[in-house]
């Protein structure tokens, strides 16, 4: 048996999985990242957890071809470093790839987490067969990964496909990134919750009960029940997502755009209005409109994609 | 000597050039396309002109490796066809690639004209050394070509990099393409001239003398002389171009974005405000801002790029 270890390292939790060449997950485990202990200690914890997974799966260490390590970006892929690490304080410019490789004694491929998730959907999820694919992960922000000719698009600075920061409203809402009007200020789960909270404050002079704890799918449901603030903000989120899809169409001409992340749990309450706005806004010069569909791997996309990348060099 | 023939077929004129492997143009000629005579007659005329160029350059026919044919898109590259041909009435779905190959007896590579021009700038112009490059051609509309890892990005539907139809203003000015708020409704040479004409009508109740004949560089100059309508519309054009550059940055992460076409003749009157708006609107999360620079090959970019593509398969 030939296996790879996929690791999806997040600011809070990290998932590890042993994955076979058919992209099947044999065993997996989530651990707290404890980023504040520093990259050295975290790498040690990852190595220990990996050993535990091997024991649990009763596979020989020699069966593991390599490790795919997905982390928040931006990254310097050539140097195997995280160049900025908003969620990983103190990790900046730490050579995590080589640290992990040395600690575990296996080759490590480093990849941006959104890219790894997109690659996972490409090899084993909603994007199988789509050599040109874009995955938008709608959660705290809007993450994205772009597959071009069956490979992850990195660009010159290793940071291609940051579509959450596509400007959809010139001079729009300020974004902590420094820009204004970024897609993720309108169409991320967090943005929708924040805008509904502010909208309810604005329209009624006080917050409606419990609105602080609302999730984006709650809002989708309230919108479908004609709550006017929720309906307006949900519809705007879907409309800007559709604008992003038009721009993605013209940028990459993908066969399919997958929607993933917390917001996508709203299912048809998300897909239907996005598709409707997309149809209303799209051009008539060509029949090159991509299909908009749900991602299918959920939170496993990252480890599956990362593991697949670890196999790739050997193939 | 090893040569290729580059052809840049336009709705009005067609340019042909014999180009060597170092991308040097030996001889070139422009002829009226006479598209209305149909693809068969045009292909015959191209073949005759090509023979004339060979005679003129005193090179043997055997030295020509192949032909690169650049035409308006959208194209079906697999079938070698123009699928829609707004500027070439009656050409739709005609197998131009194979017709030309049969008529001339040489292999023909078909490519979208904006892509061929971008490839020309990549191999021999302002984008040499940039494996990730975007070229925006600002003329009647906004054409674009995208180089990813040193190759033209085509996408699933062969129509990637149609950045003139990136939506920069949601619910903005209607575009004949069927969308609203496309970049080319604000930042093409034609759009600027049209908007200035309408702006002058609006602000003064009548057109200013001669404004119908203004070119975009005239408007750039008038804007620099503080004509209020020209200044506002020129600045908006530059601002939306900067927004497009931000979105291009996040989409492809190119090293450089080149500005070409009629509008680029304005030189620093274009580059300076675009760079200023770009700086004002760009993010602080990463130092991945592409350089914005002028294209350098002018109207030769298409034939040089097309010829380079004809060499590519043999290399």
């Amino acid at each position: 048996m030939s296996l790879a270890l996929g690791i999806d390292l997040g600011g809070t939790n990290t998932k590890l999985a042993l994955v076979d060449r058919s992209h099947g997950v044999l065993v997996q485990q989530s651990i707290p990242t404890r980023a504040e202990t520093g990259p050295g200690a975290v790498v040690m914890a990852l190595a220990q957890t990996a050993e535990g997974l091997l024991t649990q799966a009763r596979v020989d260490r020699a069966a593991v071809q390599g490790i795919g390590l997905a982390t928040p970006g931006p990254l310097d892929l050539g140097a195997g470093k995280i160049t900025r690490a908003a969620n990983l304080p103190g990790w900046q410019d730490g050579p995590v790839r080589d640290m992990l490789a040395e600690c575990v004694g296996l080759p490590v491929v480093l990849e941006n987490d959104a890219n790894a998730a997109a690659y996972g959907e490409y090899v084993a999820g909603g994007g199988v067969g789509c050599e040109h694919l874009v995955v938008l992960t709608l959660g705290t922000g809007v993450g994205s990964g772009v597959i071009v000719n069956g490979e992850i698009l990195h660009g010159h600075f290793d940071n291609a496909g940051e579509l959450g920061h596509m400007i959809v409203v010139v001079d729009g809402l300020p974004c902590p990134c420094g820009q204004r009007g970024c897609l993720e200020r309108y169409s991320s789960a967090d943005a929708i919750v924040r805008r509904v909270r502010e909208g309810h404050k604005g329209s009624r002079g006080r917050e409606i009960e419990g609105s602080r704890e609302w999730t984006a799918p709650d809002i989708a449901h309230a919108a479908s029940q004609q709550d006017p603030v929720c309906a307006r903000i949900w519809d705007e989120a879907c409309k800007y997502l559709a604008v992003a899809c038009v721009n993605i169409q013209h940028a990459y001409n993908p066969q399919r755009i997958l929607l993933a992340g917390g917001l996508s749990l709203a299912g048809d309450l998300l897909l239907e209005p996005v598709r409707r706005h997309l149809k209303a806004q799209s051009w008539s010069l060509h029949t090159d409109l991509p299909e908009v569909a749900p991602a299918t791997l959920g939170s496993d996309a990252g480890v599956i994609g990362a593991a697949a990348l670890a196999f790739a060099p050997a193939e």
Side-chain angles (χ1 to χ4, degrees), chain A:
Chain A
M1 189 166 8
S2 175
L3 301 172
L5 181 70
I7 303 179
D8 191 355
L9 188 146
T12 309
N13 292 305
T14 294
K15 184 184 270 195
L16 300 91
L18 269 176
V19 184
D20 65 25
R21 276 192 182 266
S22 311
H23 314 295
V25 173
L26 274 70
V27 287
Q28 60 169 287
Q29 189 176 346
S30 264
I31 59 170
T33 303
R34 296 208 181 94
E36 71 284 359
T37 61
V42 171
V43 160
M44 291 280 284
L46 294 179
Q48 282 171 4
T49 308
E51 293 293 342
L53 285 176
L54 287 172
T55 308
Q56 191 185 335
R58 298 181 187 186
V59 292
D60 193 81
R61 207 169 177 293
V64 183
Q65 306 289 301
I67 298 176
L69 174 63
T71 75
L75 308 175
D76 179 338
L77 295 176
K81 293 179 179 178
I82 301 172
T83 53
R84 294 216 183 184
N87 299 324
L88 302 169
W91 285 53
Q92 192 160 326
D93 286 326
V96 284
R97 181 190 64 199
D98 295 348
M99 287 168 72
L100 183 62
E102 196 168 318
C103 186
V104 183
L106 282 169
V108 176
V109 177
L110 179 67
E111 186 52 83
N112 173 295
D113 50 9
N115 290 352
Y119 197 70
E121 293 288 344
Y122 165 63
V123 297
V128 168
C130 297
E131 300 281 298
H132 296 268
L133 175 75
V134 174
V135 180
L136 298 177
T137 302
L138 312 165
T140 312
V142 174
S144 62
V146 178
I147 307 296
V148 164
N149 291 321
E151 293 185 357
I152 295 169
L153 176 64
H154 288 120
H156 178 70
F157 300 97
D158 291 343
N159 209 38
E162 278 286 352
L163 303 175
H165 296 279
M166 180 196 297
I167 295 175
V168 290
V169 182
V170 175
D171 298 325
L173 294 174
C175 182
C177 81
Q179 296 178 185
R180 300 185 74 100
C182 296
L183 174 65
E184 74 172 36
R185 304 317 289 169
Y186 300 88
S187 303
S188 65
D190 276 26
I192 291 169
V193 169
R194 186 173 50 244
R195 296 189 75 208
V196 163
R197 215 153 58 205
E198 288 165 4
H200 274 141
K201 266 193 211 167
S203 68
R204 305 183 188 185
R206 58 175 184 81
E207 287 184 40
I208 61 167
E209 201 170 345
S211 71
R212 275 197 182 281
E213 287 74 39
W214 279 21
T215 66
D218 294 339
I219 292 167
H221 184 71
S224 73
Q225 302 297 309
Q226 314 300 328
D227 175 290
V229 171
C230 290
R232 175 175 60 78
I233 288 165
W234 186 260
D235 190 64
E236 275 184 22
C238 294
K239 183 171 181 175
Y240 289 124
L241 266 179
V243 167
C245 289
V246 169
N247 290 349
I248 287 167
Q249 168 192 10
H250 297 319
Y252 311 109
N253 238 218
Q255 187 173 358
R256 202 172 289 167
I257 299 172
L258 299 179
L259 303 185
L263 204 63
S264 70
L265 301 177
D268 283 345
L269 293 178
L270 176 73
L271 281 170
E272 189 278 322
V274 169
R275 287 175 178 151
R276 177 168 42 79
H277 281 296
L278 185 55
K279 206 173 163 192
Q281 293 183 82
S282 62
W283 73 354
S284 54
L285 292 191
H286 195 11
T287 54
D288 61 347
L289 198 65
E291 185 189 356
V292 177
T296 61
L297 298 183
S299 62
D300 288 349
V303 286
I304 292 173
L309 288 165
F311 281 128
E315 282 172 340

